[in-house]
Amino acid sequence: MATVDVIKCCMDSIRQISDEIREAIVYLDAGCTESFEYVGAFSLFLELGAHAICSLEKMSPLDKVVDWNSTSGPAKKIVVITSRLLSDAHRYILRCLSAFQTLRSCAIFTCISETGHSAYPESPLGPDAYHEYESLLVQDYEELARKFLMNSSHTGESIVKESMSAEDEGWSQLTTSEEGPFNFSSVASAQNSYEDSVIDRTDVRKKLKVSVHHFPLVLCPFSPRFFVLPSEGSVAEAYLSAEHDNSISFGLPSISTGTTADGEDVPPGATLTAQFLYHLAAKMDLKLEIFSLGDVSKTVGKLLTDMSSLYDVGRRKRSAGLLLIDRTLDLLTPCCHGDSLVDQMFSSLPHRERMASLSQAKSSQSQVKLGPAYLQRSPLTVQIPLNNFLREDTSSSYNFQLVESVEAFLRGWNSRDSTSQMDELVNFSTKPSGEMSTQDFQSDLLCGSFVSTENFHGTPYLEAILERRSKDGAVLIKKWLQESLRRENVSLNAKIRPGYASKSDLQTMIKALAKSQSLLAKNKGIIQLAAAALSALDESHSAKWDAFSSAEKILNVNAGDTSQSLAAQISDLINKSALVSSQGNNKMDAQRGLLTLQDALLLTVVGYILAGENFPSSGTVGPFSWQEEHFMKEAIVDAIIENPTVAKLKFLKGLTQDLEANFNRKSEEKKEDLSNTESIDFDDDDWGSWGDEDSGKDKRKEQVYDDMQLKLELRDRVDNLFKFFHKLSSFKKNVSFREWSQALSKFNDDPYSNKGLLYKVLSRVLDKHEVPGLEYHSSTVGRLFKSGFGRFGLGQAKPSLADHDVILVFVVGGINGVEVREAQEALSESSRPEVELILGGTTFLTPKDMFELLLGDYCCV
């Protein structure tokens, strides 16, 4: 039987729409671009006959000029693939239509089903969403075409200046370009090489054929068996928790209380997640037996079960187990800096900036009554710096020509004014390489990215790195580099030491393997991965990561001792961070591994979660006594007053400016006092100013009063922050987690090797032990047997997750690299290592992402 391969399923889905792609310009939104970049699908689009592959949000009139498969003149159809709701993508789709005068057909593929559109509160479309949108888009396009003809007849120029709004509530106002209106006459002149005859303006009146289809497999696979959802897709951006007492963040499931939401209380993220998983299973031809752990996961499981029908159950599909787990059940693992090279890479590398999308405008302008309209998650596309390896050796003519060619192409492509474009290119070509500044060469022109299909003799790079610890992963990358150099017959001037992969060794091998364009193109996969590892191993990043890891281990050890020692350690970390922030340079501090106030707050979160596990009944409200908590609060208050600019957090919203003004005033006073003490010189005029002492005292009294008011307000804010910390530590007190502490006690012997919840659950599941709180969702037929035929002895036994040869685990809220490695460890250590384990999550989480979710704009403080 064929193995389950997420990447292959994505590729097959693209091939199934080959008829639409052939001879079309393909537009991808940010989420789809992210997805297909990981899949490595861009070459497949060109193989299927696409004219060009372009960005939907950054659509340009010059897109029609690019043609990789020139066979039939100007493109007469476009294909739009979006990971968003149709209402969100509408303005961009209409911009594309307005730029093509020869367009006859537009096929739109969205990963959100019709049911998902009708269920989402921000969508104006109903159950027949696709047909509704087809008619609405044609109406808006025809209206735009009429205004285009009117403008052309009156002014003689083909300029669309009119903004449109759709009739249905929920459409945002449309402008043809965020930078300005499109000039169609300039587009026509850019396309002279294409057109042998003049296109009649009345062609725009011809009926446009629009079709909308479902394309569910828009995901980011890191390997054939591990994926997350695109960061800028509607599924990942939808909130997972409404604002209520049990919520901790809109981007995370609420704290489990044993009750499931229904009706209007179901968060949109749960609905869209259920829709995605249902269609993913259908594409992979799997029949799911659903198990869930956590309230939101139970809601998703219930929705999935309700979507299944008698027809689905009766079809011949491969049986698989689906395990849904709430991220909130284990907040500690993604908050910590674990032993994973992939996690370190994602934390150290710069990420692509988010697109200025319609969803962000909606999120900033309005909020629905239960939570934010959209979450802005960190993009998954990293920018691996490659220009350092191609730039430093200026004697290499191959590399300089490559850099020169790339920059010249991008300058010409981005330039809208042809005159300035030619001047720039002439200046660039005549400028010596030594005189090129950072303005001449942007660092992101030659940036790599992760592609899951890149492999070494059939072994996918990312998959192999995910399953190893940091040092083992670096050594494996070094081995791949050496094998690649040996295969290419490239000799090294330096001697490479065996064993540990040092930064200098990796750097030497990368430069040798990228010394020519042909070698760079042939070995780009391993070069990009090695450059990413080099960034993670750089002292500016690794020192900070190691400092975090050491602090977390110390907190873990203190959590096994007493609450007093843990509280003292947290206070010490806060005090040290305040001292560092007031004295140091951020870049130098990172290289020395010094922690800032934000870092200390994240460690405080870790400390409170550990305290909730180890001291659930120490304090009356929280895990610490009043006195222990008082010292921590005062430490945070003093740190914020001394460093107001380093803590622009949600719980300080509206107070940051006052704190900064107070800090600046005190700084000026200190300078004045210092200057006065340095030059004390009385003269006759000074004796006459003694009468002004009273006014000076009054002013000082006002300042003291203002300082006290500010400090009282700050203390109130910090009190609210600690109530939030209490919430993080309290969810371990419910009955199911007391059962967990007993059932999983065998994993807690060594405080340095604490495993995450995913490892513990899979270990028990694969060994067929009971998992407290795990709920099984019976299918339609299963419920029928249980309620109806069970009285005749035909009832079904409760299935076990371990009975399946394929197990799909999906973490609602996100997953990190450590958990992927630990899940593979649990599988290899079990009695059933042959099980096909597929892992997925809402997004890929780093400690920085957890900080934003728990203490940033989306937290429920």
Side-chain angles (χ1 to χ4, degrees):
M1 188 174 290
T3 58
V4 178
D5 188 332
V6 177
I7 298 175
K8 183 177 181 298
C9 288
C10 292
M11 291 292 201
D12 290 343
S13 295
I14 296 173
R15 290 188 179 94
Q16 289 171 7
I17 61 172
S18 58
D19 291 341
E20 299 288 350
I21 293 173
R22 190 177 297 110
E23 297 183 357
I25 296 179
V26 179
Y27 281 96
L28 308 176
D29 70 355
C32 289
T33 302
E34 201 170 59
S35 170
F36 296 145
E37 186 173 300
Y38 273 89
V39 175
F42 296 130
S43 59
L44 178 59
F45 280 108
L46 297 178
E47 288 176 15
L48 296 176
H51 276 265
I53 308 162
C54 308
S55 169
L56 181 63
E57 291 89 350
K58 293 185 176 181
M59 182 268 164
S60 166
L62 295 174
D63 291 344
K64 64 173 70 176
V65 181
V66 180
D67 189 356
W68 294 94
N69 293 290
S70 180
T71 54
S72 57
K76 295 185 178 180
K77 64 177 181 178
I78 64 171
V79 170
V80 176
I81 308 179
T82 177
S83 59
R84 298 190 178 279
L85 297 164
L86 291 170
S87 54
D88 289 345
H90 177 68
R91 67 188 300 217
Y92 299 110
I93 295 172
L94 201 50
R95 282 176 59 197
C96 290
L97 298 182
S98 66
F100 291 88
Q101 295 171 310
T102 60
L103 195 63
R104 295 293 173 262
S105 172
C106 174
I108 302 168
F109 294 87
T110 174
C111 72
I112 310 298
S113 65
E114 289 187 298
T115 307
H117 275 88
S118 62
Y120 197 82
E122 290 293 303
S123 174
L125 299 173
D128 194 19
Y130 292 171
H131 288 97
E132 289 178 28
Y133 183 72
E134 287 172 4
S135 59
L136 285 169
L137 181 61
V138 170
Q139 289 175 16
D140 285 354
Y141 174 72
E142 290 177 347
E143 178 67 19
L144 191 66
R146 283 195 295 270
K147 293 180 182 295
F148 160 70
L149 289 174
M150 290 173 59
N151 289 338
S152 298
S153 60
H154 288 123
T155 64
E157 296 179 356
S158 304
I159 303 176
V160 179
K161 296 181 180 179
E162 195 71 33
S163 65
M164 298 177 59
S165 59
E167 298 174 0
D168 208 340
E169 185 181 356
W171 302 119
S172 283
Q173 284 192 342
L174 167 74
T175 55
T176 56
S177 174
E178 293 171 1
E179 299 176 357
F182 285 147
N183 189 325
F184 287 98
S185 59
S186 65
V187 176
S189 63
Q191 202 185 4
N192 284 336
S193 61
Y194 256 22
E195 300 178 359
D196 296 325
S197 59
V198 178
I199 299 173
D200 191 351
R201 290 177 179 175
T202 59
D203 283 351
V204 295
R205 293 178 178 173
K206 292 184 179 179
K207 191 73 174 178
L208 174 69
K209 180 183 177 183
V210 174
S211 59
V212 181
H213 312 275
H214 189 206
F215 188 86
L217 282 190
V218 178
L219 48 84
C220 297
F222 283 58
S223 74
R225 297 185 185 180
F226 170 51
F227 70 90
V228 294
L229 303 178
S231 62
E232 295 192 58
S234 291
V235 184
E237 287 185 340
Y239 67 90
L240 290 168
S241 176
E243 190 169 6
H244 52 72
D245 293 340
N246 296 318
S247 300
I248 59 174
S249 173
F250 297 119
L252 294 170
S254 57
I255 295 173
S256 295
T257 59
T259 59
T260 56
D262 54 6
E264 294 183 356
D265 294 332
V266 176
T271 304
L272 295 182
T273 299
Q275 290 281 332
F276 165 77
L277 291 172
Y278 175 79
H279 293 288
L280 173 66
K283 282 289 183 181
M284 294 193 296
D285 208 26
L286 297 176
K287 182 180 71 174
L288 297 177
E289 294 283 355
I290 304 164
F291 300 80
S292 62
L293 196 61
D295 289 353
V296 175
S297 290
K298 290 177 182 177
T299 301
V300 174
K302 184 177 180 297
L303 293 170
L304 272 168
T305 306
D306 293 341
M307 277 187 276
S308 64
S309 63
L310 292 174
Y311 174 75
D312 292 327
V313 173
R315 292 180 60 190
R316 290 185 178 180
K317 293 184 177 181
R318 189 178 183 185
S319 179
L322 170 63
L323 174 59
L324 299 163
I325 301 179
D326 276 8
R327 173 73 279 165
T328 319
L329 297 180
D330 179 16
L331 295 173
L332 191 61
T333 303
C335 283
C336 290
H337 296 67
D339 194 2
S340 169
L341 184 58
V342 174
D343 284 348
Q344 287 184 253
M345 288 176 181
F346 270 82
S347 296
S348 63
L349 291 168
H351 291 241
R352 171 187 56 80
E353 293 184 3
R354 288 181 60 90
M355 294 288 185
S357 64
L358 180 61
S359 62
Q360 294 183 24
K362 282 187 177 182
S363 181
S364 62
Q365 293 173 4
S366 64
Q367 288 190 347
V368 294
K369 61 181 179 179
L370 298 178
Y374 294 92
L375 301 165
Q376 295 185 27
R377 297 191 183 271
S378 176
L380 296 173
T381 302
V382 296
Q383 296 178 327
I384 304 172
L386 298 177
N387 52 300
N388 292 335
F389 306 109
L390 303 177
R391 270 298 198 184
E392 290 180 4
D393 186 10
T394 55
S395 62
S396 174
S397 60
Y398 290 109
N399 289 336
F400 179 73
Q401 289 173 6
L402 172 63
V403 173
E404 186 182 47
S405 302
V406 170
E407 183 170 2
F409 172 76
L410 291 178
R411 280 176 179 268
W413 184 253
N414 290 329
S415 178
R416 292 200 175 189
D417 182 63
S418 58
T419 305
S420 61
Q421 170 188 338
M422 291 305 299
D423 291 341
E424 285 185 357
L425 292 179
V426 170
N427 293 335
F428 173 73
S429 62
T430 58
K431 185 176 294 187
S433 60
E435 298 179 9
M436 296 177 68
S437 64
T438 54
Q439 293 180 347
D440 295 320
F441 181 78
Q442 301 176 9
S443 61
D444 60 347
L445 292 186
L446 283 175
C447 283
S449 58
F450 291 128
V451 180
S452 58
T453 51
E454 296 284 358
N455 63 85
F456 185 82
H457 297 322
T459 302
Y461 290 125
L462 277 179
E463 182 179 35
I465 297 301
L466 277 165
E467 296 176 0
R468 285 169 170 79
R469 297 179 182 271
S470 298
K471 288 184 179 178
D472 294 337
V475 170
L476 183 61
I477 291 173
K478 177 182 176 182
K479 178 184 176 182
W480 284 333
L481 283 171
Q482 290 174 321
E483 292 289 336
S484 300
L485 289 168
R486 193 176 297 113
R487 186 184 63 225
E488 300 292 344
N489 293 322
V490 177
S491 58
L492 293 174
N493 296 327
K495 185 178 180 180
I496 304 298
R497 292 168 293 179
Y500 176 72
S502 66
K503 179 182 174 182
S504 59
D505 290 344
L506 293 179
Q507 202 163 13
T508 301
M509 289 189 285
I510 293 172
K511 286 184 177 180
L513 202 56
K515 68 179 183 180
S516 68
Q517 293 186 33
S518 58
L519 283 175
L520 176 63
K522 190 175 180 181
N523 300 280
K524 62 183 184 302
I526 183 58
I527 290 174
Q528 291 180 131
L529 185 64
L534 198 60
S535 177
L537 296 174
D538 189 82
E539 189 178 359
S540 61
H541 300 112
S542 62
K544 187 73 166 284
W545 188 276
D546 293 341
F548 259 117
S549 182
S550 299
E552 289 156 2
K553 288 180 180 179
I554 293 172
L555 291 175
N556 212 342
V557 171
N558 282 301
D561 189 9
T562 62
S563 63
Q564 292 88 346
S565 62
L566 181 58
Q569 187 61 46
I570 294 173
S571 299
D572 186 51
L573 288 169
I574 296 169
N575 289 324
K576 286 181 178 178
S577 69
L579 185 63
V580 167
S581 300
S582 62
Q583 294 180 353
N585 178 287
N586 288 338
K587 188 172 182 181
M588 292 298 296
D589 292 340
Q591 291 178 350
R592 290 183 291 171
L594 301 178
L595 302 175
T596 64
L597 178 56
Q598 290 97 323
D599 302 334
L601 289 175
L602 181 60
L603 289 170
T604 304
V605 169
V606 172
Y608 262 82
I609 296 173
L610 289 170
E613 293 178 352
N614 294 275
F615 320 117
S617 58
S618 293
T620 56
V621 179
F624 300 107
S625 66
W626 179 89
Q627 187 177 15
E628 292 164 355
E629 220 167 56
H630 175 72
F631 288 134
M632 287 187 278
K633 289 179 181 179
E634 287 300 308
I636 290 178
V637 168
D638 293 340
I640 293 174
I641 288 176
E642 292 298 323
N643 308 283
T645 57
V646 300
K648 295 182 179 179
L649 305 171
K650 186 177 180 179
F651 76 95
L652 293 175
K653 196 171 184 180
L655 202 62
T656 305
Q657 290 183 350
D658 294 336
L659 289 168
E660 290 179 354
N662 178 69
F663 176 77
N664 293 333
R665 179 177 56 79
K666 287 189 174 182
S667 299
E668 291 296 327
E669 288 178 357
K670 287 180 181 179
K671 290 180 181 178
E672 290 179 4
D673 293 341
L674 184 62
S675 61
N676 290 335
T677 54
E678 288 177 352
S679 57
I680 300 178
D681 184 19
F682 289 101
D683 55 27
D684 294 338
D685 294 335
D686 292 329
W687 296 102
S689 63
W690 275 30
D692 298 333
E693 285 183 353
D694 292 337
S695 61
K697 288 180 179 178
D698 293 339
K699 187 176 181 181
R700 283 194 293 273
K701 285 181 180 179
E702 291 179 4
Q703 291 175 353
V704 170
Y705 177 77
D706 292 340
D707 291 347
M708 289 297 297
Q709 287 289 103
L710 182 62
K711 200 163 187 177
L712 288 171
E713 176 66 23
L714 180 57
R715 280 176 176 159
D716 289 340
R717 301 290 184 94
V718 174
D719 285 339
N720 289 332
L721 176 65
F722 273 76
K723 289 178 182 177
F724 176 73
F725 291 159
H726 295 162
K727 193 186 296 187
L728 294 178
S729 63
S730 65
F731 72 92
K732 297 284 184 180
K733 295 181 181 179
N734 60 42
V735 177
S736 62
F737 278 100
R738 286 202 296 270
E739 296 173 358
W740 266 107
S741 61
Q742 297 173 1
L744 305 176
S745 59
K746 69 171 185 174
F747 297 107
N748 299 325
D749 297 335
D750 184 1
Y752 289 100
S753 61
N754 282 345
K755 301 289 187 179
L757 179 67
L758 190 56
Y759 175 89
K760 298 173 183 178
V761 171
L762 283 174
S763 294
R764 292 188 65 83
V765 163
L766 293 170
D767 290 338
K768 295 192 175 181
H769 293 155
E770 184 181 354
V771 178
L774 185 66
E775 181 173 318
Y776 169 67
H777 298 265
S778 299
S779 62
T780 305
V781 172
R783 290 195 297 268
L784 183 62
F785 270 98
K786 184 178 179 180
S787 60
F789 299 141
R791 69 188 70 177
F792 302 109
L794 299 174
Q796 287 183 322
K798 181 180 178 180
S800 171
L801 193 59
D803 293 336
H804 299 89
D805 294 329
V806 178
I807 297 178
L808 169 60
V809 180
F810 189 87
V811 184
V812 181
I815 190 171
N816 72 349
V818 170
E819 291 178 302
V820 176
R821 175 177 55 78
E822 290 182 350
Q824 294 297 331
E825 289 176 1
L827 180 64
S828 61
E829 294 168 4
S830 71
S831 58
R832 296 203 61 201
E834 74 280 0
V835 169
E836 293 185 54
L837 180 64
I838 307 168
L839 300 172
T842 304
T843 188
F844 190 85
L845 291 172
T846 64
K848 183 179 179 182
D849 296 329
M850 291 302 295
F851 179 87
E852 294 297 327
L853 288 170
L854 295 175
L855 296 171
D857 291 337
Y858 300 114
C859 70
C860 299
V861 177

